[in-house]
Amino acid sequence: MKLFNLFMQELAVDLGTANTLIMQDDKVVVDEPSIVAINKKTGEIIAVGNKAMQMHEKTHDNIDTIRPLKDGVIADFQAAESMIQGMINMIGNKRRFFTHLRMVICIPSGITEVEKRAVFDSADHVDSKETYLIHEPMAAALGIGLDVEEPIGNMVIDIGGGTTEIAVIALSGIVCDQSIRVAGDEFTEDIIDYIRREHNMLIGERTAEKIKLNVGAATKNLTNPPEPYAVNGRDLMTGIPRQIIIRYEETAEALDKSIMKIEEAVLKALEITPPELSADIYRTGLYLTGGGALLKGLDKRLSIKTKLPVLVADDPLRAVVRGTGIALKNTDRFSFLIDRKSL
Ligand code: ADP
Ligand code: MG
């Protein structure tokens, strides 16, 4: 086994709209935002991941930051490929040459055949000899620890950056799913809009993201409310920088409409679930994963709406990469993995 490992390198890649994670030998070795910075004149990649994120919204004319997977689809093929390469290079000298590289890459379920091919091509370019793709809800279910092969229905709700994916999984397949483009990015925009409207102040995406992480809430009745949060931005009237204090009740108001859309999609998914599987879901409840699962009070709100138990996955930002890692160890067994031939 040891000798075999010397010649084999295996990577599980979660290609998310907000974050890309890579797991190797059961450890997360890359966890970076899905963003690249390019030199607009030369087209050269200047930075990938965290470094590129630090430049985001602070660039001048010659630099552009791109999120290659905005909205759950590959918006920019070239940038996506550079990003995948850059992230794999971050594993650094642990990347052994002359080895057989095998990868499982998790993709948002909304991506088209052409986009899947592009992901395969990107994998070829980093010299992967064996590549499989896995749909995000399936990887999420595996990462949560569900037995996806059983004849038992489980509903997984993955709230990422670009999309919320709701899927019912049973017998190694996705029985029904709903995907909407309302997720973390939309929440961030809601907060920007709210502060512009209610406080006459302009803030950037990164500031709004911090507000969301600190005082973002899905309901005005949190049992453990966070402390109010100080926010700096530019006054719309005077143009001068100023500071305001935001309470969680305000973000709950800002996010209400978007969360209603997620609730509707969950109800719709429950409505189209075959009755035998509904019976299973009644017993097991709904599993919440992805970064959006961390929004305060969201589990409670969904539980009240559906009258079902809602469970937040352990470390929900990493459930998908964990699941992709499990798939990597079972490529010969899991029929739901996509290889190039099945395209
Ligand atoms: P993706 O799979 O699309 O890359 P992730 O599952 O990594 O997305 O989730 C990223 C999203 O989760 C981002 O929009 C981020 O702002 C959001 N997020 C992360 N932590 C929290 C938190 N504590 N509260 C609310 N949203 C969060
Ligand atoms: Mg994800």
Side-chain angles (χ1 to χ4, degrees):
M1 187 64 193
K2 277 273 150 57
L3 191 67
F4 179 67
N5 274 343
L6 271 181
F7 298 106
M8 186 90 175
Q9 187 175 30
E10 297 186 314
L11 301 178
V13 183
D14 168 11
L15 199 55
T17 58
N19 298 297
T20 295
L21 289 86
I22 303 180
M23 207 162 150
Q24 183 181 32
D25 303 330
D26 295 321
K27 279 193 291 288
V28 175
V29 289
V30 174
D31 182 350
E32 303 264 338
S34 302
I35 186 168
V36 295
I38 61 163
N39 180 326
K40 274 206 273 192
K41 283 208 176 114
T42 61
E44 182 196 2
I45 297 286
I46 307 166
V48 176
N50 275 316
K51 273 198 193 128
M53 190 51 127
Q54 279 160 16
M55 301 176 184
H56 190 46
E57 293 186 308
K58 291 188 176 175
T59 55
H60 50 73
D61 281 352
N62 289 344
I63 302 181
D64 205 1
T65 51
I66 302 175
R67 286 184 51 192
L69 277 91
K70 226 175 156 97
D71 288 333
V73 294
I74 302 184
D76 185 328
F77 285 97
Q78 191 62 49
E81 175 157 341
S82 303
M83 187 179 81
I84 297 171
Q85 284 195 4
M87 301 267 187
I88 288 179
N89 288 338
M90 282 179 195
I91 306 172
N93 44 19
K94 280 184 227 149
R95 168 84 177 92
R96 300 183 286 263
F97 289 95
F98 311 115
T99 50
H100 183 96
L101 174 60
R102 188 151 80 129
M103 295 207 285
V104 177
I105 305 175
C106 175
I107 47 165
S109 52
I111 81 172
T112 62
E113 302 290 293
V114 175
E115 291 173 322
K116 283 179 200 161
R117 247 174 239 130
V119 176
F120 276 119
D121 290 345
S122 304
D124 288 350
H125 294 160
V126 294
D127 216 22
S128 174
K129 297 289 190 291
E130 219 184 316
T131 311
Y132 303 88
L133 308 184
I134 180 170
H135 283 302
E136 188 156 29
M138 202 50 129
L142 286 169
I144 291 168
L146 302 176
D147 193 342
V148 299
E149 293 170 305
E150 288 289 301
I152 294 171
N154 282 297
M155 182 175 280
V156 176
I157 305 167
D158 179 349
I159 306 176
T163 56
T164 294
E165 314 243 355
I166 304 156
V168 175
I169 287 163
L171 292 168
S172 299
I174 296 172
V175 182
C176 48
D177 66 348
Q178 290 279 309
S179 174
I180 56 166
R181 288 189 182 177
V182 177
D185 292 341
E186 189 82 12
F187 297 163
T188 306
E189 273 165 39
D190 290 340
I191 291 173
I192 295 175
D193 290 346
Y194 176 89
I195 290 184
R196 191 194 298 126
R197 211 172 50 234
E198 298 294 321
H199 294 278
N200 280 317
M201 194 170 94
L202 273 184
I203 56 168
E205 221 175 272
R206 290 194 306 174
T207 300
E209 171 86 15
K210 281 191 206 137
I211 298 173
K212 182 174 70 175
L213 302 198
N214 284 282
V215 285
T219 146
K220 290 186 180 176
N221 317 302
L222 287 182
T223 32
N224 284 315
E227 291 292 310
Y229 185 71
V231 180
N232 304 339
R234 192 180 86 208
D235 190 282
L236 264 177
M237 306 296 173
T238 64
I240 300 170
R242 98 178 140 99
Q243 187 177 73
I244 55 167
I245 306 292
I246 295 289
R247 288 170 299 116
Y248 86 86
E249 290 91 338
E250 294 183 83
T251 63
E253 191 177 321
L255 301 180
D256 188 50
K257 278 206 186 98
S258 292
I259 292 166
M260 257 157 61
K261 288 185 193 149
I262 293 178
E263 286 177 333
E264 276 164 31
V266 171
L267 291 177
K268 176 89 193 154
L270 287 167
E271 209 178 290
I272 60 174
T273 302
E276 287 299 337
L277 298 176
S278 301
D280 295 338
I281 292 166
Y282 181 78
R283 273 199 312 275
T284 53
L286 313 177
Y287 293 92
L288 211 52
T289 180
L294 292 167
L295 187 72
K296 295 171 188 66
L298 182 61
D299 49 345
K300 212 168 136 198
R301 180 161 165 179
L302 283 174
S303 179
I304 291 169
K305 188 79 187 178
T306 59
K307 303 187 183 68
L308 294 168
V310 176
L311 298 107
V312 177
D314 287 339
D315 199 359
L317 283 159
R318 292 187 167 187
V320 165
V321 79
R322 279 200 306 271
T324 309
I326 293 169
L328 185 61
K329 289 184 183 149
N330 293 281
T331 48
D332 46 355
R333 175 169 134 210
F334 288 156
S335 53
F336 47 79
L337 293 175
I338 306 157
D339 61 17
R340 197 186 294 264
K341 279 169 260 142
S342 54
L343 275 187

